[in-house]
Amino acid sequence: MEIICFEELESTHLFMCEKIKTGEIDKNLAIYALRQTNGVGSRDNEWQSKDGNLHLNFCIRQSDLSTDLPLCSVSIYFGFIMKELLASKGSKLWLKWPNDLYIADKKLGGLISSKIKDFIVVGLGINLKHCPKYACVLDVKLDLETLIKDYINELEKKILWKQIFRKYIVEFEKSRSYKVHIQGREVPLKEALLYEDGSILLENRRVYNLR
């Protein structure tokens, strides 16, 4: 997968989504910006960031994904791969269901996922150097370019979903102390039942996590 660096973009995610829609991007590709001025997070929230943080987006054709990956759980899948990579470098981060990266009880970053044409598009942001007061920065020092190359190398291994999910079952228990937004409401995850496709049963309804 080719990796392209931009000095500055308003939003790596919106940029990539638009280029796919217009046909200017028609292959698996990763882009990142050294500076992002108007990032987008989950539920259309603004993702505030500063120079030195990770602002990464990539697109992969459905046909090039792991054969057993449920599309509803791409955020878990790609988030957990990053979690495992950073853990191997000494970080104590964990993945809160379905798409937030945390260290202890502070948010470190997160993912946003979309499906456009036959591409899955994923935006990934991590506070490597700067963060808002309510969040945290990564607990290990890493070179941005090296981190991105290492992560893309992991993605290209096409790790099976069942291998990811086997580990995530244990990780999910940490999410039970938190809440999730469902149709504008915050709902506790304490009693949630995790299914094999990464969705959960909450308040007698199935909740999926492509976002």
Side-chain angles (χ1 to χ4, degrees):
M1 185 187 298
E2 183 183 1
I3 303 172
I4 299 176
C5 174
F6 291 86
E7 287 290 330
E8 179 177 302
L9 288 173
E10 286 191 10
S11 164
T12 57
H13 191 69
L14 295 181
F15 176 88
M16 175 165 274
C17 289
E18 181 61 27
K19 296 300 183 183
I20 293 173
K21 290 175 182 176
T22 61
E24 295 175 72
I25 293 178
D26 61 357
K27 64 179 181 179
N28 296 346
L29 180 69
I31 65 171
Y32 69 100
L34 300 181
R35 183 179 304 105
Q36 182 170 255
T37 58
N38 190 25
V40 178
S42 297
R43 303 182 306 279
D44 295 324
N45 290 329
E46 179 182 355
W47 174 260
Q48 298 180 359
S49 189
K50 293 185 178 180
D51 298 12
N53 288 345
L54 175 69
H55 320 110
L56 173 67
N57 241 84
F58 56 90
C59 61
I60 302 178
R61 291 189 186 277
Q62 276 187 244
S63 57
D64 292 327
L65 295 170
S66 172
T67 55
D68 68 339
L69 176 59
L71 293 186
C72 65
S73 289
V74 293
S75 290
I76 293 174
Y77 178 82
F78 291 118
F80 199 80
I81 290 175
M82 176 58 84
K83 179 263 179 182
E84 290 282 89
L85 173 62
L86 292 176
S88 73
K89 299 179 182 296
S91 177
K92 295 182 179 180
L93 82 166
W94 61 281
L95 178 64
K96 173 182 169 287
W97 192 93
N99 65 335
D100 291 325
L101 294 167
Y102 272 65
I103 293 178
D105 62 349
K106 299 291 185 181
K107 187 172 180 179
L108 173 68
L111 300 91
I112 183 170
S113 306
S114 305
K115 183 179 183 299
I116 302 175
K117 296 183 178 180
D118 60 343
F119 285 101
I120 295 298
V121 187
V122 180
L124 174 55
I126 296 178
N127 300 323
L128 298 181
K129 293 185 177 181
H130 310 279
C131 70
K133 291 182 179 180
Y134 60 83
C136 68
V137 297
L138 188 65
D139 50 353
V140 292
K141 292 184 178 180
L142 299 173
D143 175 71
L144 177 62
E145 184 177 352
T146 300
L147 172 61
I148 292 171
K149 288 181 178 179
D150 288 348
Y151 181 60
I152 298 303
N153 285 339
E154 290 300 307
L155 299 189
E156 292 179 333
K157 293 178 181 179
K158 295 185 181 180
I159 302 169
L160 291 175
W161 164 251
K162 66 179 181 181
Q163 292 178 261
I164 297 292
F165 185 73
R166 190 181 302 128
K167 296 179 180 180
Y168 187 67
I169 292 174
V170 178
E171 186 101 328
F172 178 75
E173 294 303 309
K174 296 180 181 180
S175 293
R176 294 191 184 280
S177 300
Y178 293 81
K179 298 178 181 179
V180 65
H181 287 86
I182 300 177
Q183 296 183 334
R185 295 189 303 123
E186 280 193 331
V187 182
L189 286 166
K190 184 178 181 180
E191 303 299 330
L193 174 65
L194 180 66
Y195 286 98
E196 290 186 358
D197 65 354
S199 65
I200 59 173
L201 182 67
L202 197 59
E203 295 186 334
N204 295 316
R205 63 176 294 183
R206 196 82 169 257
V207 182
Y208 296 88
N209 53 57
L210 176 64
R211 51 174 69 187

